[in-house]
Amino acid sequence: MGTVRALRATQERVLRAAIYVRISQDRAGEGHGVARQTEDCQALCDRRGWTVIDVYSDNDLGAYVGKPRPAWERLIGDIEAGHVDVVVCWHPDRLTRQPMELEKIINLVERKGVDLATVTAGEVDLSTATGRAAARIVGAMARHESEQKAERLRRQKQQAAEKGLVSGGGHRAFGYERDGLTIREPEAELIREAADRVLAGETIASVCRDFEARDIRTTAGNWWKPLTLRQMLCSARISGRREHRPGKSSTAIIGEIVADAVWPGIISTEDSDELRAQLGRTGTGRITGATGRVYLLSGILRCGICTGRISGHNTGRGRRYYCPGAPGSTSCGRLTMGMDRTDIHIRDTVLLALDSPDFRERLHRRAKVDPAIRTSVKNDERLLSELDEDRTAGRISRARWLQMSDTVNARLETNRRKLAAVPSLRALEGLDGSYEEMLPVWEARNISQRRAIVTACVSHIIVNRAARRGPVFDPDRFDPQWLV
Ligand SMILES: [Zn+2]
């Protein structure tokens, strides 16, 4: 620092100092609250022998956002009125974070001959070109810092997430009391039920419809919609874990698991991982197929002529499955069959297959998940959050961060797909014993649940042309593609 007029002037008379302090939103930064700033400034004035005429304190939330700062306005007024010889602040960025404000101060200082001293950056002599340049640089840096504030706030949220703290605001989470920590058992039971049913292959929409029929509502008092239910079932919360969703990307229904939470889980972490793997991706059939699948075998049956998916509809001739042959599609439209006979035939085919212990044994062997995949998913989720940390702390370059997170994300996606592809045998729970014993269980289940039983056994069922034309039902035209 060069020679400063304030220092020269000290020899002649006691200077009147105005301390300006401001707390910023950024509590993660220097962590200097108003009290500490004031103390430091006061100490500086004492050392210099300046008389503090007043402390101007703005409990502000960032000059950058342009909120009114009453103490700041008062300070400007007092400078204008000639009551101030030197303005003391903790750091130049406490004074102003906007270039326009800085120019205003420079102008004022020029006209009034006021000096500026800071605790951390020494004296800034705005009466010289060098001093002004320095102030502008500091100002520009402060501005840059302001612009990074959002990033730091995001980081703070992530830290809170990592600590497993309860985040406030919004509606009460379904399944928990308002404290976010205590399980509300009747709702928790519904979460477990929904999780089990969806893991058993029932569609989200089917569970929603059932909830509506039972007058089960969200904590906001609304009916459960597929998206809402999906979000809840995918949330790490219900497994007693914290997740962090980076950015505002609305498509990211699942974030990274960052920590065990302070609240207890309602479902197991294994079930949660499976739900997140199945439902976390957008645009999969399991999610969007929620709307129109009211028939047992639509989409499961494939046309033996064109291999297209067979649809169902209710016509004047009764309920029928048919190859749609829609204009512009590749399907042929040449196949049709009565629905009721077909449904009964496939039901019997599947239940008779399940009657065989050997078939069941093979299903169970196939349904085993390689534990290494689960471990890899967990590790990669952690790795991603560590990468974010490293990037935020500036330990790695942006290019490196992008490269590494792309690699990890790709592997994560592959493994999540693998997990989602493992057939779930939950649909078969309670469906034990002989064909006769299974029949009433089947009849007690809804269409979505029955579909899940079928798809736990077959990938699809090919329907060939009937051997004979006419109304006679031909069971031999069906060719189930068994999973095992
Ligand atoms: Zn066809």
Side-chain angles (χ1 to χ4, degrees):
M1 283 296 144
T3 316
V4 175
R5 284 182 298 153
L7 291 176
R8 277 185 268 112
T10 323
Q11 321 300 326
E12 299 149 21
R13 59 185 174 93
V14 175
L15 293 181
R16 295 161 301 168
I19 294 179
Y20 180 74
V21 289
R22 178 167 67 81
I23 189 162
S24 101
Q25 213 168 20
D26 173 23
R27 294 183 192 90
E30 317 84 359
H32 280 73
V34 164
R36 175 73 194 281
Q37 287 179 41
T38 309
E39 207 175 285
D40 289 351
C41 292
Q42 184 75 58
L44 176 70
C45 294
D46 289 350
R47 279 201 304 279
R48 298 288 163 79
W50 299 335
T51 303
V52 176
I53 58 156
D54 206 347
V55 176
Y56 302 76
S57 169
D58 272 324
N59 201 348
D60 139 88
L61 304 157
Y64 189 63
V65 293
K67 287 201 178 154
R69 294 189 285 156
W72 164 260
E73 298 302 334
R74 193 161 60 82
L75 172 65
I76 297 290
D78 285 353
I79 295 172
E80 290 275 14
H83 299 322
V84 179
D85 298 315
V86 57
V87 176
V88 179
C89 58
W90 193 76
H91 187 271
D93 78 347
R94 296 294 119 163
L95 205 55
T96 170
R97 289 192 167 191
Q98 286 182 317
M100 290 219 350
E101 284 189 346
L102 181 64
E103 293 308 320
K104 192 171 164 191
I105 272 269
I106 287 173
N107 190 284
L108 197 58
V109 162
E110 295 255 59
R111 283 192 292 115
K112 292 290 170 183
V114 173
D115 287 300
L116 177 62
T118 68
V119 171
T120 52
E123 279 89 18
V124 183
D125 188 351
L126 296 179
S127 64
T128 68
T130 313
R132 284 193 292 272
R136 286 187 182 110
I137 290 167
V138 170
M141 285 175 66
R143 187 176 165 80
H144 171 67
E145 222 178 283
S146 274
E147 286 164 354
Q148 285 186 318
K149 188 182 284 176
E151 173 66 12
R152 279 203 292 267
L153 283 174
R154 191 193 69 83
R155 176 80 192 112
Q156 283 172 356
K157 275 190 186 167
Q158 184 178 344
Q159 281 171 340
E162 280 164 3
K163 285 182 191 134
L165 301 177
V166 182
S167 63
H171 284 289
R172 180 176 67 77
F174 194 82
Y176 293 89
E177 299 296 341
R178 194 159 288 282
D179 62 9
L181 299 168
T182 315
I183 290 180
R184 187 178 280 208
E185 195 47 46
E187 289 179 0
E189 199 44 56
L190 291 167
I191 292 176
R192 287 185 208 110
E193 179 195 326
D196 279 346
R197 289 170 67 171
V198 170
L199 284 172
E202 191 170 350
T203 62
I204 295 264
S206 167
V207 177
C208 286
R209 279 192 297 270
D210 180 45
F211 275 14
E212 183 168 335
R214 288 155 62 189
D215 197 24
I216 295 160
R217 292 164 189 263
T218 68
T219 56
N222 302 317
W223 298 120
W224 285 93
K225 292 195 179 64
L227 181 66
T228 328
L229 185 60
R230 182 168 150 238
Q231 276 165 343
M232 184 190 72
L233 291 176
C234 282
S235 72
R237 163 186 295 278
I238 59 171
S239 62
R241 294 179 294 176
R242 279 299 294 228
E243 69 190 313
H244 173 65
R245 262 184 289 270
K248 285 181 182 169
S249 149
S250 56
T251 55
I253 192 168
I254 58 172
E256 295 148 22
I257 302 273
V258 289
D260 287 336
V262 291
W263 59 82
I266 289 170
I267 65 171
S268 72
T269 55
E270 286 77 19
D271 283 357
S272 170
D273 287 345
E274 212 171 317
L275 284 167
R276 289 159 66 86
Q278 281 189 11
L279 306 174
R281 283 175 292 118
T282 48
T284 70
R286 286 190 54 107
I287 298 154
T288 54
T291 44
R293 277 186 188 161
V294 283
Y295 302 113
L296 177 65
L297 300 170
S298 46
I300 296 174
L301 297 175
R302 301 286 168 83
C303 174
I305 303 167
C306 69
T307 74
R309 286 166 194 270
I310 282 179
S311 308
H313 61 174
N314 202 345
T315 68
R317 292 187 297 154
R319 307 192 316 152
R320 297 190 72 78
Y321 289 117
Y322 66 105
C323 179
S329 83
T330 53
S331 66
C332 68
R334 289 161 63 193
L335 217 60
T336 172
M337 74 216 78
M339 187 180 291
D340 297 336
R341 289 294 304 275
T342 303
D343 284 356
I344 288 169
H345 171 67
I346 298 301
R347 175 199 72 192
D348 290 348
T349 306
V350 166
L351 292 187
L352 285 168
L354 287 169
D355 198 341
S356 148
D358 179 55
F359 178 75
R360 279 192 185 258
E361 168 62 24
R362 276 182 285 137
L363 274 184
H364 280 282
R365 261 203 309 269
R366 191 178 179 275
K368 286 221 168 59
V369 180
D370 182 358
I373 298 177
R374 284 198 203 283
T375 312
S376 171
V377 166
K378 281 196 181 115
N379 288 344
D380 282 346
E381 280 172 342
R382 191 177 320 124
L383 192 54
L384 276 182
S385 106
E386 285 168 3
L387 277 174
D388 281 358
E389 260 173 57
D390 286 344
R391 177 66 200 127
T392 311
R395 285 191 288 265
I396 50 172
S397 72
R398 181 175 161 76
R400 183 98 180 105
W401 174 69
L402 280 174
Q403 183 203 355
M404 291 186 71
S405 43
D406 278 356
T407 311
V408 177
N409 270 319
R411 187 170 56 213
L412 199 53
E413 179 68 7
T414 309
N415 282 328
R416 280 190 180 140
R417 267 183 216 286
K418 279 187 194 160
L419 280 184
V422 171
S424 170
L425 296 186
R426 286 170 195 256
L428 305 180
E429 272 170 27
L431 202 66
D432 300 311
S434 65
Y435 167 82
E436 287 77 17
E437 286 166 318
M438 284 186 273
L439 201 52
V441 180
W442 168 279
E443 294 302 328
R445 301 215 171 155
N446 67 31
I447 290 288
S448 181
Q449 292 167 327
R450 291 178 192 173
R451 283 177 61 88
I453 294 172
V454 174
T455 54
C457 300
V458 302
S459 63
H460 56 279
I461 299 164
I462 295 169
V463 192
N464 295 302
R465 252 189 274 240
R468 287 166 294 175
R469 294 194 64 85
V472 181
F473 185 74
D474 174 13
D476 292 333
R477 66 193 296 203
F478 298 95
D479 185 8
Q481 304 298 298
W482 301 104
L483 287 173
V484 292

